[in-house]
Amino acid sequence: MTLRRIGIAGVTAGLAWAHFEAGWVRLESVRCPLPALPPELDGLRIAHLSDLHLGFPSRGTRAVERAVDWVVERQPDLTLVSGDLLSRRSGEPHLRSLLARLPRCYAVLGNHDFAVTRDPFSHPIELYELEPATLLADDSRTIELRGRRVQIVGVDPRSYRRRLARPQRLADPDADLRILLCHFPDVIDRLPEGAFDLVLSGHLHAGQICVPWPGGRLRLAHVRWNYVRGLYRRPAGMLHLSAGLGTTFVPFRFLARPEATELVLESR
């Protein structure tokens, strides 16, 4: 076999795997320690989904559907979705039918929902509500869970990109648990110390296309970001960064599986 044929075979195999991986969703429960958590909220379960990108042809749609089925099976206390819900208007009916199934669902939008991106395949949409899910945009809701007050604050991606968002001003000091939903994970570095107990973000897709590199992986999307995926304890609060479910630019993922996470809160 010539080197050219070997190269073609390698590229073909790589694309086939990346196509498969885009739908190979990771579903996992993760313990999330929060030092100031009231004992009554110990064990509270929060499902975190992000970056659905519905309307863009990809096996990521299958990942979204599987994730929603899993959340419905788990019946967590709260479901939070951290932006980039749609890439095209055609995905809106599917989005609404999926979100309607999720228990106690709150969501924010991301930059792709407004086509504020280099992705030429992303189209702007108009979403002002997602009933029965609650769409937050620089506002908040306070609900009661296990007899305690839980506040959910949501950031509008447009004001965030203009550096106008001040979510800390919405934080209720009397709430027993303060959660911030913001599509962009670097919000954690813009907040004052102790502003929120938990911050949920997405945006980075864990790199989406990654290649092995000395000391780790080279993430071809968002190369310079400090955060990748998972939990990060920072002065402003605990950040959970989701690898997301969908895809952008290309319908592939490589060494960056889509994921849905159930956070199990622990008082420590």
Side-chain angles (χ1 to χ4, degrees), residues 177-189:
L177 174 63
R178 296 183 303 276
I179 302 173
L180 178 65
L181 266 181
C182 180
H183 183 60
F184 306 101
D186 60 350
V187 70
I188 196 72
D189 297 322

Side-chain angles (χ1 to χ4, degrees), residues 138 154-170 182 187 190-191:
D138 291 336
V155 176
D156 188 310
R158 295 167 295 184
S159 61
Y160 184 83
R161 294 289 288 262
R162 296 175 189 138
R163 293 187 172 270
L164 298 176
R166 300 290 186 272
Q168 64 271 23
R169 295 179 181 174
L170 297 173
C182 180
V187 70
R190 299 187 187 182
L191 297 169

